[in-house]
Amino acid sequence: MRAPLSWLRELVEIPADQTGRDVAALLIRAGLEVETVETIGEGVIGPLVVGRVDHIEELTEFKKPIRWCQVQIGPDAVNGIICGARNFAEGDLVVVATPGTELPGGFRISARETYGKTSNGMICSERELGLGDDHDGIMVLPPGTAEPGTDAKPIIGIGEEILDIAVTPDRGYALSIRGIAREVATAYGAAFVDPGVELADLPAPASGHSLQDCATEAPDGCDLITMRTIVGFDPTAQSPLWMQRRLVACGMRPVSLAVDVTNYVMLELGQPLHAYDKGKLKGVVRAAWAGDGEPFESLDHVKRTLRSDDLVIRDDSGVIGLAGVIGGLHSEIDDATTDIALEAAHFIPEVIARAGRRHKVSSEAGRRNERGVDLNLAPYASARAAALLLEFGGGEYVGMAAVEAPHEPVVIHLPASMPEEVAGMDIPGIMVVRILQVVGCSFEDETADVLAVTPPSWRPDLTDPADLVEEVLRLIGYDELPSTLPTAPLGRGLTAAQRIRRRLGMALAARGFVEVLSYPFVGDAELDVLLLPADDPRRVSARLANPLSEEQPRLRATLLAGLVSAARRNVSRGHGDLALFEIGRVFQGDVRGEGGERPGVQSRPHDDEWARLNELLPHQPHHIAAVLSGAREPEGWWGSARPAGWADAIEAVRVIAEVVGVEVTVEQGSDPVFHPGRCARIVLDGDSIGVAGELHPRVIEAVGLPPRSAGFEVDVDALTRAAGEIRPAPVVGTQPLAKEDLAVVVDHDVSAESVRAAIADGAGGLLESVRLFDVYEGPQVPEGKKSLTFALRFRAPDRTLSAEETAAAREGAVAAAADVCGAVLRQ
């Protein structure tokens, strides 16, 4: 929200010596985020004057249209100026930079020969003066603005200080000059003139004209709607210059008088308004729920399909607006509109926020309505807008129709001692009352131990005792609160599970992986990319009540969805050699029941409350997952690059198991995310705890990853449960090592892992390690067979092994492989 300091001064008696930066410092202390303080036209040095165009000569001998203008810049001063703009005529008032003036960017104006003429000055546009981004033509001032030669800087706002405030979601009232001025008044202890409680003077309703009626058929979405009617409005009337300048200063572009007035009042008071062409309306205008699948074309020419929980504004012809977000194309005002129906309403914030996110519409009205607007403000704001329309556009006022649903006032019960308990400092109850009265709250009994507080209508964000405590503390000043660091009890630190997760991250990072943190939200699109079938358990997870995006409404049940998306973004930006991993929770299954009473925040929930709440939650184990693509080893003087593949993913899983201190088994597996023939199942104590291998070619193609990209996902909690409290140190043998290589022939469909396990079991206790290092299929083995070659390493802890002992262990390995797998020693 951009707030001109001069506008704030109209509502608050700010001391004359206070600058915009002084005001910003106090607002920051009160909890508002003032990002910058700008000065309009800060780079303008030298005179800017109002000029009147007396004569225009069209120079036609050049490739583009050029005008030679005679511009009066004083009682007896006329300058000839070359200009290429076409949006002005003789008699118009313009802004002229005379020779010697310097414009933003260090552009110095001087008399110069151009197009065969001597141009003495420059007729300026908004962008050239640093007022805005409009460069479609030069600035044309309304007739009668000032006499030629008048200093133009105060007229167009040069030198005005603007406070640019980042408004957080809980402070919707600060999206208005009214709300910011109230905070400024509180900070200075100055008088505040509230423009939201004074009903504008309007003429008596004219007779002989029909009043546009309104209604609400959805009081749970719109509990107040008003409609004022004006007829005989002049559609050619221009907005006054002061209004245009304020709109530009606040970051909005002037459009027409009717649109400018609704935007101006919204900025001033915080109440969004919408002006309809009354001649295009049919019947009663009403707030209602949309029909499922009902079509709607909005002002931005986008055709939308509505849902049954979308709140709309409709008349007898159909939907004419997405309530509180954006108007409809076919009922908007245009250059011929003479009869205006002015709508002001109060909407339930959650309804507006849901619609804006679902339909991907971010509007100024939506930003305010989704944060909550003053419930009592609509009739005052529409009266203010109607008065401005009548003042500058003429016409007759017909009257107002309004419908309001009953509502109960909010009463918050606040223990008077709660602020000082939270702050850790002495805050008397009377001080709590006085501060909250400054905010606008009222009390049933100011001396009670538990205060019954009614927040003001312009603060819908105040709903709980904690909200009131925050108001008290921020107005006291967070810098006044004592800082006391808690003392950590002895013997505490990371849990065993936390230490394991930290070790896993360090181990993968040491091997060239990069950790990422992805959003834990997914939608059907991400799961479709992973080729998950409809009955896959990873499609079943908890749905968020208020998702950030309707396209990602659920919590993730797999880390691979976020990792694949992250890999796609990196590859699309030219970084294809990736090894990304993530450690985080997944959410398996939906919420298991309805929530009960929400526990308070003043203390920890009781054990039984905590247990009941946890019973509602889905299973939330920690997983670790990774995606590898492109080159695993870069090219260099040592040779060409080595691409990442399924073996790298499986090796990473083995590293993870080794770090934890457990032994996993790698078996042939099947998973829709992975290549049917290059997928491994990770088994621990007979249970499957993960999957690894090459991603499915269709997954790779869908996201644009390099061929043969691989990945894995493993249940970290399962590894943690299997790990011992203390991992034993590795045994370092001091006796000589005996080496044996063993080549066996087995059926093609026998897994190498089953052969390895049989060899390890048959070789006995002297076997230190067994490793597969060659797989051969070709003319030297029978058809349908394959040759597997293993490296066996034997060692005794207390002696050098004899040849007989080594041979016996080798024969035992061969016999076990033959019995279990049908292996035959290769000759």
Side-chain angles (χ1 to χ4, degrees):
M1 175 68 190
R2 293 169 58 86
L5 185 60
S6 63
W7 203 347
L8 295 175
R9 288 185 183 276
E10 291 182 5
L11 305 181
V12 184
E13 295 180 2
I14 302 174
D17 61 343
Q18 295 290 286
T19 66
R21 297 194 179 279
D22 296 327
V23 175
L26 289 178
L27 290 178
I28 291 172
R29 188 174 185 272
L32 293 183
E33 299 179 17
V34 182
E35 294 187 330
T36 59
V37 179
E38 301 176 8
T39 301
I40 294 179
E42 190 170 14
V44 177
I45 302 173
L48 289 177
V49 298
V50 175
R52 184 177 62 224
V53 181
D54 289 342
H55 178 70
I56 299 176
E57 178 185 350
E58 301 287 349
L59 304 181
T60 59
E61 61 268 29
F62 302 100
K63 291 183 179 180
K64 62 179 182 179
I66 296 297
R67 290 173 146 189
W68 171 241
C69 307
Q70 301 300 314
V71 183
Q72 183 179 355
I73 60 170
D76 301 312
V78 177
N79 281 17
I81 300 175
I82 289 290
C83 184
R86 314 293 297 177
N87 67 318
F88 64 100
E90 293 180 357
D92 282 346
L93 295 178
V94 295
V95 177
V96 178
T98 58
T101 301
E102 185 175 312
L103 300 184
F107 181 62
R108 189 173 183 84
I109 305 300
S110 61
R112 61 192 179 94
E113 294 291 331
T114 181
Y115 296 102
K117 307 287 185 180
T118 301
S119 182
N120 281 289
M122 178 177 175
I123 305 175
C124 301
S125 69
E126 284 187 1
R127 192 168 72 178
E128 289 162 344
L129 296 174
L131 300 179
D133 294 328
D134 190 359
H135 197 58
D136 294 337
I138 56 94
M139 291 180 61
V140 178
L141 305 179
T145 298
E147 292 297 321
T150 305
D151 185 3
K153 288 184 178 179
I155 297 175
I156 61 177
I158 296 290
E160 171 78 271
E161 289 186 292
I162 308 294
L163 280 67
D164 193 352
I165 302 173
V167 179
T168 54
D170 62 329
R171 301 205 178 275
Y173 68 92
L175 286 171
S176 68
I177 298 299
R178 178 198 187 201
I180 297 172
R182 192 188 303 277
E183 291 290 338
V184 173
T186 301
Y188 279 101
F192 170 62
V193 179
D194 189 352
V197 296
E198 296 181 2
L199 197 61
D201 289 333
L202 291 172
S207 59
H209 302 284
S210 62
L211 178 67
Q212 179 59 55
D213 202 2
C214 61
T216 176
E217 298 173 358
D220 51 342
C222 173
D223 50 12
L224 170 64
I225 183 170
T226 69
M227 191 74 69
R228 294 186 188 268
T229 304
I230 296 174
V231 298
F233 176 78
D234 180 7
T236 65
Q238 293 186 1
S239 303
L241 183 62
W242 59 264
M243 184 182 293
Q244 295 184 39
R245 295 277 63 80
R246 282 190 170 172
L247 290 174
V248 171
C250 292
M252 304 189 78
R253 183 174 62 87
V255 178
S256 66
L257 177 58
V259 175
D260 293 350
V261 164
T262 58
N263 286 336
Y264 179 82
V265 173
M266 178 183 67
L267 292 171
E268 181 182 50
L269 302 181
Q271 171 68 56
L273 302 160
H274 190 77
Y276 298 95
D277 186 328
K278 184 177 181 296
K280 299 176 182 178
L281 301 178
K282 296 181 180 179
V284 177
V285 173
R286 52 201 183 272
W289 296 110
D292 203 17
E294 188 171 11
F296 165 62
E297 187 171 3
S298 51
L299 283 171
D300 53 1
H301 298 273
V302 175
K303 295 182 179 179
R304 308 178 187 277
T305 301
L306 304 176
R307 298 187 188 177
S308 57
D309 57 349
D310 284 329
L311 186 68
V312 298
I313 304 297
R314 65 166 70 249
D315 65 0
D316 293 347
S317 67
V319 177
I320 59 174
L322 187 59
V325 180
I326 191 170
L329 180 64
H330 303 298
S331 60
E332 67 172 331
I333 58 175
D334 54 34
D335 294 341
T337 299
T338 58
D339 297 345
I340 295 175
L342 187 63
E343 170 222 303
H346 181 268
F347 302 106
I348 304 305
E350 294 81 3
V351 174
I352 307 304
R354 180 176 62 234
R357 290 169 185 165
R358 171 180 296 159
H359 296 285
K360 298 180 180 178
V361 181
S362 178
S363 64
E364 291 293 333
R367 289 180 63 206
R368 289 160 175 81
N369 283 318
E370 71 184 10
R371 287 166 167 81
V373 177
D374 187 344
L375 178 61
N376 300 329
L377 188 57
Y380 294 91
S382 64
R384 168 74 165 144
L388 290 171
L389 288 172
L390 292 170
E391 179 181 355
F392 298 108
E396 293 182 284
Y397 175 64
V398 178
M400 182 185 80
V403 176
E404 183 177 11
H407 66 277
E408 293 293 329
V410 176
V411 178
I412 305 172
H413 293 89
L414 171 71
S417 60
M418 186 175 175
E420 69 177 11
E421 292 173 357
V422 173
M425 61 182 292
D426 184 33
I427 306 177
I430 189 62
M431 185 177 183
V432 173
V433 170
R434 295 293 175 259
I435 291 175
L436 292 179
Q437 284 176 336
V438 170
V439 173
C441 298
S442 59
F443 300 84
E444 293 180 4
D445 182 0
E446 298 179 4
T447 61
D449 293 335
V450 178
L451 301 170
V453 186
T454 301
S457 60
W458 58 83
R459 292 297 303 272
D461 57 299
L462 302 180
T463 59
D464 295 294
D467 298 327
L468 299 178
V469 170
E470 180 183 359
E471 289 299 299
V472 172
L473 299 186
R474 78 177 183 88
L475 293 182
I476 288 176
Y478 292 125
D479 53 343
E480 297 293 332
L481 304 184
S483 298
T484 305
L485 293 176
T487 303
L490 297 176
R492 301 289 179 88
L494 296 177
T495 65
Q498 289 171 332
R499 290 195 297 271
I500 285 176
R501 292 197 294 272
R502 181 170 290 187
R503 291 207 306 268
L504 293 180
M506 294 171 63
L508 289 184
R511 285 161 177 79
F513 286 75
V514 176
E515 186 172 11
V516 298
L517 294 175
S518 59
Y519 284 115
F521 312 123
V522 296
D524 289 338
E526 289 92 342
L527 301 180
D528 291 343
V529 165
L530 296 181
L531 305 180
L532 298 181
D535 58 349
D536 194 291
R538 286 168 290 189
R539 281 191 178 270
V540 181
S541 62
R543 182 181 179 89
L544 299 171
N546 188 25
L548 292 177
S549 169
E550 284 295 330
E551 294 183 350
Q552 295 179 317
R554 292 188 174 276
L555 293 172
R556 66 189 177 194
T558 172
L559 296 181
L560 285 173
L563 282 170
V564 166
S565 297
R568 169 165 43 188
R569 284 192 297 273
N570 279 272
V571 170
S572 68
R573 287 160 175 77
H575 186 63
D577 299 334
L578 298 170
L580 307 178
F581 81 95
E582 181 172 7
I583 303 175
R585 289 189 183 273
V586 296
F587 306 86
Q588 299 173 341
D590 208 339
V591 176
R592 295 172 288 188
E594 298 293 331
E597 181 180 354
R598 184 172 62 174
V601 298
Q602 65 274 11
S603 63
R604 181 187 184 277
H606 297 299
D607 291 341
D608 55 345
E609 288 182 315
W610 188 248
R612 286 197 301 271
L613 291 171
N614 278 312
E615 287 174 358
L616 301 174
L617 301 177
H619 185 44
Q620 303 175 47
H622 285 90
H623 279 200
I624 183 169
V627 169
L628 302 98
S629 70
R632 187 72 182 103
E633 297 175 0
E635 65 177 351
W637 56 265
W638 51 85
S640 60
R642 182 180 70 82
W646 60 268
D648 295 294
I650 294 175
E651 179 61 24
V653 173
R654 294 190 184 278
V655 169
I656 289 170
E658 182 183 357
V659 168
V660 177
V662 300
E663 185 173 350
V664 297
T665 303
V666 179
E667 300 179 354
Q668 180 69 35
S670 176
D671 189 283
V673 183
F674 292 85
H675 191 292
R678 303 187 183 106
C679 176
R681 185 169 71 106
I682 311 303
V683 178
L684 175 63
D685 297 333
D687 296 325
S688 178
I689 65 165
V691 63
E694 181 180 312
L695 296 178
H696 196 288
R698 287 167 55 195
V699 174
I700 293 173
E701 181 182 3
V703 297
L705 298 182
R708 306 293 191 188
S709 294
F712 69 82
E713 184 164 4
V714 175
D715 187 340
V716 174
D717 286 355
L719 293 172
T720 302
R721 289 191 296 270
E725 292 187 9
I726 300 177
R727 182 186 174 192
V731 177
V732 179
T734 60
Q735 300 299 323
L737 190 70
K739 301 179 181 180
E740 291 284 339
D741 291 341
L742 180 64
V744 294
V745 178
V746 296
D747 291 339
H748 182 273
D749 58 354
V750 175
S751 69
E753 174 60 27
S754 62
V755 178
R756 188 204 66 81
I759 290 175
D761 185 57
L766 296 178
L767 182 67
E768 185 174 276
S769 67
V770 55
R771 180 177 62 88
L772 174 70
F773 70 88
D774 183 63
V775 178
Y776 174 76
E777 296 180 68
Q780 298 183 25
V781 296
E783 186 176 353
K785 303 285 186 176
K786 62 183 176 182
S787 172
L788 305 177
T789 306
F790 295 87
L792 281 64
R793 300 294 181 261
F794 299 95
R795 194 196 310 262
D798 56 351
R799 66 188 186 282
T800 300
L801 291 177
S802 65
E804 292 77 11
E805 289 177 307
T806 302
R810 185 179 187 276
E811 291 174 0
V814 172
D819 292 342
V820 176
C821 305
V824 177
L825 191 65
R826 183 179 175 185
Q827 301 299 323

